Amino acid sequence: MTKHVLLIEDDLQMQQLISDYLDDFGYVTRAFANPKEALEHFYDDPKAYDVIILDLMLPQMDGFDVCKKIKACHDTPIIISSARGDIGNKIHGYELGVDDYLAKPYEPRELVLRIEAILRRAGRTESFQVGDFTLDTATREVTIEEYTVSLTKIEMDIFLHLLQNRSHAVSREQLIQAASLPLDTKNRTIDMHISNLRHKIGDDPKNPKYIRSLWGIGYKFIG
Amino acid sequence: MTKHVLLIEDDLQMQQLISDYLDDFGYVTRAFANPKEALEHFYDDPKAYDVIILDLMLPQMDGFDVCKKIKACHDTPIIISSARGDIGNKIHGYELGVDDYLAKPYEPRELVLRIEAILRRAGRTESFQVGDFTLDTATREVTIEEYTVSLTKIEMDIFLHLLQNRSHAVSREQLIQAASLPLDTKNRTIDMHISNLRHKIGDDPKNPKYIRSLWGIGYKFIG
DNA sequence: ATCAATTGTCAAGAAAAGTTCAAGAAGCAT
DNA sequence: ATGCTTCTTGAACTTTTCTTGACAATTGAT
């Protein structure tokens, strides 16, 4: 299931950078420089976004006000992205129900990690369907035609990443990242997880219905 | 397709380490310790490199200046590699259109991941059309009129090179280079790849629709 | 027409990448 | 601790891809 990010950031270059980066990780980002517009858009469908990234330094409106208004309407996770100088306001942020905090400048990768952490935290009891599968990220159970199996954490992470990029090639490196494994993890390890995963969802590598091996490239979920 | 990396790094040991590591992943790295020389080389052919890795702490020139000059000339992705102490300058970097950051010391593996992410972002040319064909370089699949075949890496490299030079003669030596094969590869090997390729795309050497043999010269893609 | 050079394809074996086993390590719950 | 599950990885095994010699077919030159 593709995750949607609402980005409220007035620095257009920063906006672009983050959008592109998140894009690489399979997120769909909608960005606004103007908080009023962002809020208007948010009100249209408060459940549309999985996480909101909010810059505190905004024109027209105080970032805290934006935060309050969002939280008053729907409990979408918020990550505050603010200049280092505003760090003093950190506590303040948490009081508003902010879920995480990043001081600029930060590494785009760091942001992705935070988002993932929050989504994992927030992704309670949420079960959704993709193709033949019904996945429950909370219990890590996958149901396929009346038949339910439980995946391990790593298997679930890998499965989700394959699903998020279905009909696209996914390298082992990407999967290592997606499952937050150490960077020096061997390829064999991924193969093994794929093997176990295939076994659990009843797939056959020689004649794959779901996960296809791409020689010298990685794997792909057949969409 | 081999990716080229321009490495600007004054620590020679670091330079060697990174070069070697990237080499393992199939990148061709050109390294400079001196930013002026690097820039001169860059100006020679600004499109020659797919990504530039730039150390901020350089002799003779400020890293930011290098960055600006590069970006002013051509929008090659830049990854800044800086000592942890310089992190404070990060925001400055973003303003310069830097694409990603790495704080030293870092794992070479991490660098490879960043490069791949950036190339993925930059190389969104993933799927494109040429004549009757739709090629997907990510999955190495070629579609021709509803019919899809997957090529091997070498076949894809050869096919791309033929396509890039369509209606021009291409020698076997060129194809050997294009597919990064050893220089002493026999001609028969290329013929065989061509044969397999023809078979996959449904071409007949005696009556070629796509790949024509040029006696004593090589092959050419009929445009 | 004859001949040498070049090309097409087969088939065999080498090399590379993928799959799985199995054993031990690491993590977790009781 | 103890037992259970999960994770990791080398090694064995399988499959795919690559390479190349062999030989027939084709081409161009004489």
Side-chain angles (χ1 to χ4, degrees):
Chain A
M1 186 68 82
T2 311
K3 297 294 180 182
H4 295 258
V5 178
L6 177 60
L7 173 62
I8 310 176
E9 163 70 61
D10 61 327
D11 178 347
L12 293 180
Q13 207 147 7
M14 190 77 177
Q15 214 185 74
Q16 191 62 48
L17 181 77
I18 293 177
S19 292
D20 287 350
Y21 205 85
L22 291 179
D23 189 37
D24 283 338
F25 285 83
Y27 294 96
V28 172
T29 307
R30 181 71 194 271
F32 288 89
N34 183 316
K36 285 197 196 301
E37 281 175 27
L39 271 176
E40 250 176 61
H41 179 73
F42 171 74
Y43 285 136
D44 284 347
D45 184 2
K47 290 176 188 164
Y49 292 95
D50 299 285
V51 59
I52 295 169
I53 298 161
L54 174 64
D55 183 4
L56 279 190
M57 295 297 283
L58 291 163
Q60 296 193 43
M61 258 181 105
D62 179 61
F64 293 126
D65 284 338
V66 179
C67 198
K68 262 187 251 171
K69 283 180 196 297
I70 289 170
K71 285 292 180 185
C73 175
H74 185 251
D75 189 28
T76 309
I78 297 177
I79 297 176
I80 293 285
S81 148
S82 114
R84 200 168 285 284
D86 299 321
I87 275 189
N89 296 318
K90 206 171 177 176
I91 307 280
H92 199 156
Y94 281 119
E95 277 165 13
L96 288 165
V98 161
D99 298 84
D100 210 336
Y101 195 96
L102 268 167
K104 285 186 195 175
Y106 53 81
E107 313 238 0
R109 172 154 170 67
E110 183 66 25
L111 178 61
V112 172
L113 289 176
R114 304 288 180 106
I115 291 176
E116 279 172 355
I118 279 185
L119 290 181
R120 222 171 293 137
R121 204 187 305 155
R124 25 147 156 35
T125 335
E126 277 205 58
S127 108
F128 55 92
Q129 285 205 327
V130 183
D132 298 354
F133 299 96
T134 305
L135 329 217
D136 187 325
T137 51
T139 60
R140 293 202 309 242
E141 278 175 339
V142 172
T143 305
I144 166 173
E145 294 163 18
E146 319 291 303
Y147 183 59
T148 299
V149 290
S150 39
L151 305 185
T152 69
K153 176 178 164 1
I154 294 178
E155 284 160 5
M156 181 57 98
D157 285 346
I158 288 179
F159 196 41
L160 283 173
H161 198 259
L162 284 171
L163 246 35
Q164 273 166 9
N165 297 282
R166 63 191 148 138
S167 47
H168 282 272
V170 173
S171 72
R172 288 181 178 75
E173 303 264 329
Q174 272 181 277
L175 291 175
I176 286 171
Q177 252 195 327
S180 320
L181 296 173
L183 293 172
D184 60 347
T185 303
K186 304 293 177 290
N187 282 355
R188 259 347 92 242
T189 304
I190 298 301
D191 293 346
M192 203 63 236
H193 286 303
I194 293 280
S195 174
N196 296 147
L197 193 47
R198 278 171 164 158
H199 203 256
K200 283 187 180 176
I201 64 177
D203 206 8
D204 174 15
K206 286 170 197 163
N207 199 346
K209 275 186 298 181
Y210 306 119
I211 301 174
R212 166 135 159 249
S213 308
L214 301 173
W215 221 265
I217 297 174
Y219 297 96
K220 103 172 174 186
F221 192 91
I222 303 167
Chain B
M1 195 67 74
T2 312
K3 297 295 181 180
H4 296 259
V5 178
L6 177 60
L7 173 63
I8 309 176
E9 165 67 63
D10 65 318
D11 176 349
L12 293 181
Q13 208 152 2
M14 190 76 178
Q15 212 186 76
Q16 192 61 46
L17 181 76
I18 293 177
S19 292
D20 288 350
Y21 202 84
L22 291 179
D23 191 36
D24 288 344
F25 283 82
Y27 295 96
V28 172
T29 307
R30 180 73 194 271
F32 288 88
N34 183 318
K36 285 199 196 301
E37 282 174 27
L39 271 176
E40 250 172 61
H41 179 71
F42 171 75
Y43 286 139
D44 284 347
D45 185 2
K47 289 176 188 163
Y49 292 95
D50 300 286
V51 59
I52 295 170
I53 299 162
L54 174 64
D55 180 15
L56 278 190
M57 293 298 283
L58 291 164
Q60 295 194 40
M61 256 181 107
D62 179 61
F64 292 125
D65 285 341
V66 179
C67 198
K68 261 188 253 172
K69 283 182 196 298
I70 289 170
K71 286 290 181 185
C73 173
H74 185 252
D75 190 28
T76 309
I78 298 178
I79 296 177
I80 292 284
S81 147
S82 95
R84 205 164 280 286
D86 299 327
I87 281 187
N89 294 319
K90 266 182 181 177
I91 201 72
H92 199 155
Y94 284 126
E95 281 162 13
L96 289 165
V98 161
D99 297 86
D100 209 344
Y101 268 100
L102 269 167
K104 287 185 194 174
Y106 52 81
E107 301 262 348
R109 181 77 159 231
E110 181 67 23
L111 178 61
V112 172
L113 285 176
R114 305 286 180 109
I115 291 176
E116 283 178 352
I118 280 183
L119 290 182
R120 217 176 303 135
R121 198 188 305 158
R124 274 286 143 86
T125 328
E126 241 175 48
S127 176
F128 59 93
Q129 285 205 327
V130 183
D132 299 354
F133 300 97
T134 304
L135 324 221
D136 185 330
T137 53
T139 58
R140 293 200 306 238
E141 279 171 340
V142 172
T143 305
I144 166 171
E145 293 162 20
E146 318 292 302
Y147 184 59
T148 298
V149 290
S150 32
L151 306 185
T152 69
K153 178 171 165 7
I154 293 178
E155 285 161 6
M156 181 57 99
D157 286 347
I158 288 179
F159 197 41
L160 283 173
H161 198 259
L162 284 171
L163 245 37
Q164 274 163 9
N165 298 282
R166 64 189 144 143
S167 35
H168 284 273
V170 173
S171 71
R172 289 181 178 73
E173 286 70 31
Q174 271 182 277
L175 292 176
I176 285 171
Q177 275 216 298
S180 323
L181 296 174
L183 294 173
D184 61 346
T185 303
K186 305 294 175 291
N187 281 356
R188 219 76 355 260
T189 303
I190 298 301
D191 293 345
M192 202 63 237
H193 286 303
I194 293 282
S195 174
N196 294 333
L197 192 48
R198 278 170 164 159
H199 202 257
K200 283 187 180 176
I201 64 177
D203 205 9
D204 173 16
K206 288 171 193 164
N207 199 346
K209 275 186 296 182
Y210 306 119
I211 300 173
R212 165 165 294 160
S213 307
L214 302 174
W215 209 85
I217 298 173
Y219 298 95
K220 96 171 176 189
F221 191 91
I222 304 168

